[in-house]
């Protein structure tokens, strides 16, 4: 082996060992940034729901957004926005349990699960109690949008 090759082989081996570790660190840092962005967006979302701020929700809900409400009814983005505009959907209280929040990031997709205590109305019907929420977020044009959201009532909640 030439002296030149002897100098480059260890460097190539070192890069082979270090490169996956650096990639994993970069991915973890990216995921951490995404989680912080989603948490900020979730807080804006919760506040917009409480205040029925349709303009904010129009930006947060993707055009193909689907909501499955606690009664198992599928509600489109247009229907959900109309319910907020007319007051058929309102929130007296909406309290997430931060310790129950989990956000998993998969590139430009994230899945949020959390526990909520709420009182209010969905589609004109009273709805109160504790709920498990599952929300799918997608990053588009540098911002996170909801594409799907489901609330499931917790028995005895």
């Amino acid at each position: 082996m030439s002296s030149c090759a002897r100098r480059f082989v260890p460097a190539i081996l070192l890069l082979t060992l270090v490169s996956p570790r650096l990639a994993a660190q970069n991915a973890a840092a990216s995921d951490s940034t995404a989680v912080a962005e989603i948490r900020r967006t979730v807080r804006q979302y919760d506040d917009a729901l409480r205040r029925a701020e349709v303009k904010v929700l129009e930006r947060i809900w993707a055009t193909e957004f689907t909501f499955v409400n606690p009664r198992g009814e599928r509600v489109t983005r247009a229907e959900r926005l109309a319910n907020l505009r007319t007051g058929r959907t309102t929130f007296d209280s909406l309290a997430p349990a931060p310790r129950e929040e989990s956000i998993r990031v998969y590139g430009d997709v994230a899945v949020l699960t959390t526990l909520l205590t709420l009182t209010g109305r969905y589609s004109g019907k009273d709805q109160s109690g504790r709920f498990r929420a599952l929300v799918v977020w997608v990053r588009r044009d540098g911002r996170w949008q909801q594409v799907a959201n489901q609330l499931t009532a917790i028995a005895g909640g």
Side-chain angles (χ1 to χ4, degrees):
M1 185 182 294
S2 73
S3 66
C4 184
R6 273 187 241 125
R7 279 186 255 149
F8 287 113
V9 168
I12 291 170
L13 286 173
L14 181 62
L15 284 174
T16 303
L17 295 172
V18 171
S19 186
R21 187 175 298 154
L22 289 175
Q25 288 172 348
N26 287 342
S30 177
D31 286 356
S32 175
T33 300
V35 167
E37 291 170 352
I38 293 165
R39 280 203 172 106
R40 255 190 321 276
T41 305
V42 167
R43 301 309 165 238
Q44 292 169 357
Y45 170 69
D46 289 349
D47 191 48
L49 274 179
R50 276 190 217 90
R51 298 171 190 243
E53 293 177 340
V54 171
K55 292 286 184 201
V56 174
L57 296 167
E58 285 175 330
R59 286 192 310 272
I60 291 175
W61 290 330
T63 56
E64 73 275 22
F65 172 77
T66 300
F67 175 58
V68 178
N69 69 22
R71 290 183 304 282
E73 299 165 339
R74 186 174 46 196
V75 183
T76 67
R77 177 183 187 262
E79 291 166 334
R80 191 113 200 257
L81 290 168
N83 283 338
L84 286 161
R85 282 186 186 104
T86 62
R88 287 177 47 80
T89 295
T90 60
F91 295 94
D92 301 320
S93 68
L94 183 111
R99 287 191 306 231
E100 291 283 333
E101 184 177 88
S102 169
I103 300 171
R104 296 208 173 131
V105 178
Y106 307 94
D108 286 339
V109 175
V111 176
L112 165 92
T113 58
T114 193
L115 178 69
L116 297 168
T117 303
L118 62 84
T119 57
R121 296 173 66 78
Y122 276 117
S123 303
K125 297 177 184 161
D126 286 334
Q127 195 74 57
S128 298
R130 291 172 20 128
F131 303 86
R132 195 61 70 184
L134 175 73
V135 186
V136 180
W137 295 86
V138 174
R139 183 181 7 228
R140 292 183 178 145
D141 301 323
R143 65 188 169 104
W144 289 95
Q145 289 188 297
Q146 283 188 26
V147 293
N149 182 344
Q150 179 169 352
L151 286 184
T152 302
I154 296 174

